[in-house]
Structures are given as structure tokens and as C-alpha cells.
Amino acid sequence: MVLNCKHVWDCISGYLDDTLPAEMRDRVQRHLDHCEICSAVLDSARNILILSADDLIFELPVGFSQRLHARLDQEMTS
Amino acid sequence: MKATTEPRDEAQMIASILAGDTQLYHQLIRPYERSVYMMALSYMKNEADAEDVAQEAFLKAFHHLTTFRAEAKFSTWLIGIALNEARSRLRREAALRMESIDDTQDQGGHTSPAILRDWREVPSEALERKEVRQMLQQAITNLPTIYREVFVLRDVEELNNVETAAALSITVGNVKVRLHRARLMLQKQLAPLLRNMNPKRRWIPWF
């Protein structure tokens, strides 16, 4: 069975995590090799994951750590 | 999880803390401050409340350290405490959102990705732009809770499927399903916006 684009989208997460069974991964790969649309979808999904994992996206508030440890000191001893 | 790379014997540290060396607790939790805060933020949606929840979670963990079971991972246990703290606070405050954590359906509906042929920029360049960071924050924050919590632990804090499932008390299968949907939702929402902000074409090689 040849995969259509919708099937491939259903596999994108597994493809990115490399958790697809080998046979399915090969089929997805073959589709991606010739489908400009799906390879672009894959690229943008991967880009979003790369961006999301960057610590710059969500930064700890300034002074978070100091305030936390000061409070712990206060309450751990009381 | 982005933890320290030095080898740490957390079981030993915990035993020492329980034996009275409470100052060691500061050291024990340092690698997990960010993950606990992120978990709190993904629920509370504002920094001040998230910080408060994170502090409470670390205090609760300290006071309940005797209940920690060695077969669990300390980080997962901590995140689970932060999660419970955030949920119970939201219940108490009753209401900003009526969205139920349990009622949202996992399987319903199919999310189709945004079809774009020309957004393949190099991500690190995009991140230097404040508006890109804000756009991502906003999109992640706006995900429905059951998708947001999985996405934050897996793709922001980079826990694995098993750790995420343990922290959230759901199955690994549920983690995978929810993560897939969260990623597609974000792709659909963000890809057109990000493309418009940086129309440069770049090919990013696969793996």
C-alpha cells in the first residue's frame, strides 16, 4: 500500500522521535523523498521542536533560584 | 532532563538529608529547578503564580522526603508534586478556566498540518528574535492542558516518554498520542507565522 500524505502526517511525531517500526519508517521515508509538501511539513515541525527545546523560550524569572533557596532556608530550619 | 552531567548519587543524598544534613537539599534540587518551574508555569500561565507553586512544591517535597520511594526517579517524583500543587491551586482558585483536565478527549478530531513549502529557516537565528520567542510561548501556553503538560515535559524539558508518563500518571501510549497532537497543533499554528517572519529559504538536513 502506498502511503498518502495524511498517513504520513499521522506518523510525523514517530518519525521525528525515530520510534516508527522499521518497515513503516522506510515507507514514510520513501514518501518524503518525493513529496515536497510532506517534507516541508516535517521540516517545520522539526524546527518548532528545536525552538521549543531552547532554554531561551521559557526563562526562569530573574532571582528565582535565590528566592527559592532563601525560602527553603527559612522553612527547613523552622 | 537538562540535569547536571556530574555523576550524582541521589539516593545517598536523600539518605543524608533524612539523617539530618538538610543543607544538602539545596544541592539535590538545583538541577530540577527549571523543570519544576516549567511544569508550574504550564498550568498557572503567569510567572508569579508559577514561582509560588514551584516553591511550594520544593517545600512539600522536602517535608515528604521520607515518602520518596527509591525505585522512582527523584526528578519525576518532584515534577509530580509540582503538578499536584498546581492542579490543587487551580481547583482552589476555582475557575479561570472551566477546561477539565480529565474530560478533554484524546482521540477526537484530526489535526492537519499547515502546508508550507518555504519555511525552513535555521531555528537558532529565529530564536534571537524576541517576537519569535513570545509567539512560541504563547502558542504552547494556549494548548489545551492535556497536550500542554505532555509537550512541556517532552519537548521543552526533554524528559523521555517513560518519565513523562510517570510524572503525569498516564500511560506511555497516552503520552505518544497527546504529544503527536500537540506537535501538530503547534505546527499548524506556528509554521505560517514563523514563515512570515523570516521568509528566507534554508534547507535543514535530516538528522
Side-chain angles (χ1 to χ4, degrees):
Chain A
M1 187 186 84
V2 176
L3 292 183
N4 64 29
C5 294
K6 197 159 167 280
H7 286 132
V8 171
W9 300 339
D10 287 340
C11 295
I12 278 182
S13 204
Y15 184 89
L16 287 169
D17 289 338
D18 200 13
T19 55
L20 295 178
E23 190 252 349
M24 180 55 93
R25 186 184 165 83
D26 289 346
R27 291 167 68 192
V28 170
Q29 186 64 63
R30 280 199 298 276
H31 180 102
L32 289 167
D33 285 344
H34 67 75
C35 180
E36 175 80 2
I37 290 173
C38 286
S39 66
V41 167
L42 180 78
D43 277 348
S44 55
R46 179 185 292 125
N47 283 348
I48 287 164
L49 297 197
I50 293 169
L51 291 170
S52 298
D54 197 295
D55 285 354
L56 282 175
I57 293 294
F58 291 100
E59 291 178 286
L60 282 175
V62 176
F64 173 89
S65 200
Q66 291 91 317
R67 287 190 295 277
L68 169 66
H69 289 278
R71 180 154 177 220
L72 287 173
D73 266 334
Q74 202 177 22
E75 303 212 19
M76 287 191 327
T77 50
S78 63
Chain B
M1 175 169 297
K2 293 160 207 157
T4 174
T5 51
E6 296 165 19
R8 286 161 39 108
D9 184 346
E10 294 188 339
Q12 183 53 51
M13 291 171 88
I14 290 166
S16 300
I17 293 163
L18 290 174
D21 185 4
T22 54
Q23 283 305 306
L24 204 52
Y25 187 65
H26 292 285
Q27 210 176 310
L28 177 68
I29 62 169
R30 278 197 196 275
Y32 310 122
E33 289 176 15
R34 200 188 132 84
S35 295
V36 167
Y37 172 78
M38 280 306 307
M39 189 72 243
L41 184 64
S42 77
Y43 273 83
M44 306 313 293
K45 300 189 177 183
N46 78 74
E47 293 189 355
D49 287 347
E51 178 164 349
D52 213 35
V53 165
Q55 287 189 2
E56 288 300 326
F58 282 118
L59 274 171
K60 278 204 174 140
F62 175 74
H63 289 304
H64 294 91
L65 206 51
T66 50
T67 67
F68 172 70
R69 295 283 164 260
E71 60 270 21
K73 274 189 80 170
F74 180 68
S75 56
T76 310
W77 183 72
L78 255 183
I79 290 167
I81 290 174
L83 175 84
N84 286 335
E85 181 64 25
R87 283 178 177 169
S88 65
R89 182 164 312 207
L90 284 178
R91 272 198 298 271
R92 280 201 301 275
E93 290 173 358
L96 294 173
R97 298 162 294 140
M98 294 304 291
E99 167 191 324
S100 160
I101 289 160
D102 302 317
D103 292 349
T104 313
Q105 293 299 308
D106 270 359
Q107 312 290 347
H110 179 86
T111 305
S112 300
I115 307 295
L116 297 170
R117 292 167 186 274
D118 57 353
W119 182 59
R120 289 173 175 174
E121 65 175 294
V122 175
S124 59
E125 291 176 11
L127 264 185
E128 286 162 16
R129 304 178 62 168
K130 194 176 174 200
E131 63 266 41
V132 171
R133 299 206 295 270
Q134 284 172 341
M135 205 183 276
L136 259 162
Q137 278 177 18
Q138 197 64 41
I140 294 169
T141 303
N142 288 342
L143 286 173
T145 306
I146 63 167
Y147 302 116
R148 188 174 64 247
E149 59 192 13
V150 169
F151 185 83
V152 164
L153 291 181
R154 279 286 280 105
D155 286 341
V156 178
E157 289 306 302
E158 299 182 291
L159 271 63
N160 63 34
N161 283 335
V162 174
E163 291 165 341
T164 303
L168 297 173
S169 302
I170 59 178
T171 64
V172 169
N174 270 334
V175 170
K176 289 182 183 170
V177 170
R178 292 179 191 187
L179 183 64
H180 177 70
R181 295 214 64 207
R183 286 170 169 178
L184 275 187
M185 286 179 202
L186 289 176
Q187 192 275 351
K188 185 168 191 158
Q189 189 184 343
L190 288 170
L193 299 172
L194 289 165
R195 191 263 311 259
N196 289 340
M197 295 183 75
N198 188 347
K200 235 186 323 183
R201 284 181 179 227
R202 289 283 186 93
W203 176 259
I204 296 177
W206 296 0
F207 300 102

